[in-house]
Amino acid sequence: MLVGCYLRVSTIDQAEEGYSIEQQKDKLKQYCSVKDWNVYKFYVDAGFSGSNINRPAMQELIEDVNNNKIGTILVYKLDRLSRSQKDTLYLIEDVFNKHKVSFVSLNENFDTSTAFGKASIGILATFAQLEREQIKERMQMGKMGRAKTGKAMNWWNPAFGYIYNRETYDIDQFKADIVKRIYKDYLSGTSINKIAENLNSEGHLGKDRQWSFRTVRMILANSDYTGNVKYHGKIYAGQHTPIIDQKAFETTQKELKIRQQEAYSKNNNPRPFQSKYILSGLLECKYCSCNLALVQYRPRKDGTHLSVYKCPSTMRKKMFTQRQLSNCISKTQERQMLEEYVIKEISKLQANTDKIELMSSSKVVDVDAYEIELEKIEKSLKKLVNIYVDTDSLTIDIFNEKKEALLSQKNAINKKIQSIKKKQPELSIKDAKKVLRGINGNITRASYDTKYKIVRKLIKKIIVGNEESTIKWAFEL
């Protein structure tokens, strides 16, 4: 029998006893000798993770199996083949079994040519997947620990102006001076493109390539320069010395946003969209369900503008069909009058927040009980696997029957949770009250910007009719 011996080691495994390539190879040789098997080839992936099968030797092994060159695959341990349950079962079911190739794992003492081996492979693959998730979790916890203690997070690529040194950053004074100059020039009114142009005209000192808009922009937005470290969107106090003080950095971030919006406005760029008026995008025609469009007329003699909302179906444009033109009876609505109506309705709620509970047609259903039940099922699944592996009290048929029953319950609960979440309003009653109580004074006297923000939080859409309009609140279904 020709045997293909597969060996793999990752950087994590290299320090673990019994996992080195040579140790695996020696054990597999001895096993083949005892079984009187002939080794066709050793397939070695050194320094490759078991999280996927995109490995050179693994791909070569699959090709040789497809060409019927091997009768058996031998590994030292199941997780040498893969740490992914999905990949393990794919290799065994869709590659090895398809070509009648047996799979043998020395450490677990089973092979797929036996009934027990076939039954055990799914269980063992589950544990391999669990181990991979645990490794991933430990690595994430390690990174979080680094961030909380202020250690360098980008040790492989420190920010321009810093040098990585023993868990933290040291300042490269020459480059740090360039960083300070970039911030100073930007806050003095120089554009990002001009800063890059100036640096390049001087020979892009300190860099092995030309400065670009992107590289300057990244420096202006990098919080590492304030002496902090960032991980998963959160900022932690770092151990390194800041190059830019916190106040200058915050001022720069505000200036970046201001200039970005000015650029969008100047170039008439709709992305990202920011509506100018409080009702923009919220108004829907009662008769044809089109979103109302804002139309501004030329200035009056007193300098004011007349702004109105119109249903697009009533406008004679090529994009609308004659059917739409003839069916929609929507009339023009003055912007100011609509805004005053909406603000007045919010003011009524502000005066009586308890009214929200009467208006809300739904009660928020707590999903915590369903989440707790899911946890119980997960524990039952793990317990079932342990009973099957550690004792002889369960046959494979009973094991599969109980497992499928638990998985069926789990699937049903997940569907129920999703169904509940879909039926919940966009804004809870509690949060709606919080928004209203957070308004300083009556909303009718608030600034236009404040009104804009409140309307966006409380209102889902407004159905506009010729005689009356209906507000669909975010706390209603």
Side-chain angles (χ1 to χ4, degrees), residues 9-16 19 47 83 135-136 138-139:
V9 67
S10 67
T11 53
I12 294 176
D13 300 321
Q14 286 171 357
E16 296 182 6
Y19 276 37
R83 288 189 183 275
I135 290 172
K136 182 180 178 181
R138 287 197 298 270
M139 290 177 69

Side-chain angles (χ1 to χ4, degrees), residues 147-182:
K148 287 183 176 180
T149 55
K151 294 180 180 178
M153 299 304 294
N154 294 325
W155 58 88
W156 64 94
N157 185 28
F160 182 84
Y162 285 116
I163 302 170
Y164 177 70
N165 181 26
R166 297 180 181 179
E167 306 293 338
T168 187
Y169 302 125
D170 288 341
I171 291 180
D172 181 323
Q173 197 57 55
F174 179 78
K175 293 181 179 180
D177 288 342
I178 296 175
V179 172
K180 291 178 182 178
R181 173 187 165 183
I182 289 173

Side-chain angles (χ1 to χ4, degrees), residues 40-54:
Y40 173 76
K41 190 174 183 178
F42 287 99
Y43 301 86
V44 181
D45 278 321
F48 284 88
S49 168
S51 60
N52 59 68
I53 59 174
N54 294 324

Side-chain angles (χ1 to χ4, degrees), residues 277-338:
Y277 300 102
I278 61 176
L279 302 184
S280 296
L282 296 177
L283 302 174
E284 182 180 295
C285 177
K286 178 181 179 180
Y287 311 105
C288 69
S289 299
C290 282
N291 290 329
L292 300 194
L294 182 68
V295 178
Q296 295 205 66
Y297 294 98
R298 291 181 178 180
R300 297 165 172 158
K301 291 182 179 180
D302 60 0
T304 60
H305 292 259
L306 174 63
S307 301
V308 298
Y309 282 103
K310 280 188 165 187
C311 176
S313 296
T314 63
M315 301 179 194
R316 295 191 175 276
K317 292 184 178 179
K318 292 180 181 180
M319 61 186 291
F320 300 108
T321 64
Q322 284 298 316
R323 184 172 178 272
Q324 286 177 306
L325 290 170
S326 60
N327 284 350
C328 189
I329 59 173
S330 176
K331 294 180 180 179
T332 299
Q333 304 284 337
E334 272 200 52
R335 175 179 67 83
Q336 187 174 350
M337 291 182 64
L338 275 178

Side-chain angles (χ1 to χ4, degrees), residues 6 40-45 53-67 69-70 73:
Y6 181 78
Y40 173 76
K41 190 174 183 178
F42 287 99
Y43 301 86
V44 181
D45 278 321
I53 59 174
N54 294 324
R55 302 167 240 150
M58 172 58 71
Q59 293 303 312
E60 185 182 358
L61 172 66
I62 292 173
E63 185 178 351
D64 286 348
V65 169
N66 290 335
N67 292 328
K69 294 182 178 180
I70 308 169
I73 305 297

